[in-house]
Amino acid sequence: MRLFVAVGPPVEAVNHLGARVARLRVGSAAAAGVDVRLADPAHLHLTLAFLGEVEAARLVEVESALGLATEWFRDGRGAVPRLSLGGGGRFGRDRSTVLWVDLRGDAEALGHLARLIRSRLREARLPYDDKPFRPHLTIARPGGRMTQADLDADVTTLDAYRGPDWSATELLLVRSHLGPRPRYERLAAWPL
Ligand code: 2AM
């Protein structure tokens, strides 16, 4: 099964962002029927670690690694991280272009949690992508269906965006089902 570990913003932050995305050029393109592959708001998440394929029999090891990481995180810090969505950018070029929104506030605490998770996964010899943690929430995968000028305009608009504050209260283990419309299934959660 294909697994990743994430934090999900609450519905107020998701709706606030959704209203802004609808007014971006990528939102207008989607409304006009261009397949810019807008992220489903119900699936908006911030990935802390991407494991990829893991045998179902090892799920219990994954859960134990995540349980330990969250315990260490809770023991080692004062308050639940306070965050907001704001700013943004894009990764990739042409067909691989991805538009994303950034994280404001206590992002360093999430970086610390990401490091704890990855070190527990490493210890358990579980797989994970060890690209450095770069907090982002993917909002669309327009590929080559938008001009560079439109994408630049959206990144500039996102720069001025600042969503409502929220607390990262739980860590989620998510299974992704690939397909034309990827589906995310929440397998387990731990309080932060
Ligand atoms: P993305 O939104 O930038 O694609 C499920 O695929 C989640 O894991 C997404 O949030 C995705 O980030 C993230 N992810 C991180 N590393 C990945 C990788 N190597 N392959 C696929 N998804 C990855």
Side-chain angles (χ1 to χ4, degrees):
M1 52 179 76
R2 188 178 163 95
L3 301 178
F4 66 94
V5 183
V7 164
V11 68
E12 303 78 53
V14 169
N15 289 344
H16 195 275
L17 176 67
R20 173 53 58 98
V21 169
R23 297 201 307 274
L24 292 177
R25 294 187 184 188
V26 75
S28 312
V34 181
D35 186 13
V36 290
R37 300 177 66 206
L38 277 192
D40 178 344
H43 287 158
L44 214 63
H45 60 267
L46 176 81
T47 297
L48 299 182
F50 177 81
L51 286 80
E53 279 303 322
V54 177
E55 291 163 46
R58 301 199 69 189
L59 191 55
V60 50
E61 291 173 70
V62 174
E63 292 185 350
S64 131
L66 297 179
L68 268 176
T70 47
E71 242 173 65
W72 286 19
F73 181 71
R74 281 197 306 267
D75 288 351
R77 63 107 182 89
V80 169
R82 291 287 289 168
L83 304 161
S84 63
L85 304 181
R90 70 183 200 215
F91 293 142
R93 296 225 133 244
D94 304 323
R95 286 183 53 191
S96 60
T97 302
V98 169
L99 193 64
W100 49 273
V101 65
D102 207 346
L103 204 59
R104 302 283 190 233
D106 204 2
E108 180 40 43
L110 282 195
H112 174 56
L113 176 58
R115 288 191 292 276
L116 285 175
I117 292 167
R118 290 157 183 233
S119 74
R120 292 295 91 204
L121 293 174
R122 186 165 55 242
E123 186 113 319
R125 297 182 188 282
L126 285 159
Y128 63 93
D129 182 347
D130 66 358
K131 270 202 303 282
F133 175 58
R134 174 70 189 84
H136 69 277
L137 292 92
T138 296
I139 52 180
R141 299 173 192 280
R145 297 179 197 91
M146 285 179 65
T147 64
Q148 297 299 318
D150 282 346
L151 288 165
D152 287 345
D154 280 354
V155 170
T156 303
T157 307
L158 282 172
D159 256 348
Y161 175 68
R162 174 80 193 249
D165 289 346
W166 51 280
S167 299
T169 54
E170 60 178 8
L171 184 75
L172 308 172
L173 174 63
V174 186
R175 176 177 183 184
S176 67
H177 298 268
L178 295 180
R181 295 274 155 221
R183 194 165 61 78
Y184 298 128
E185 179 190 359
R186 172 181 165 143
L187 297 183
W190 294 263
L192 290 175

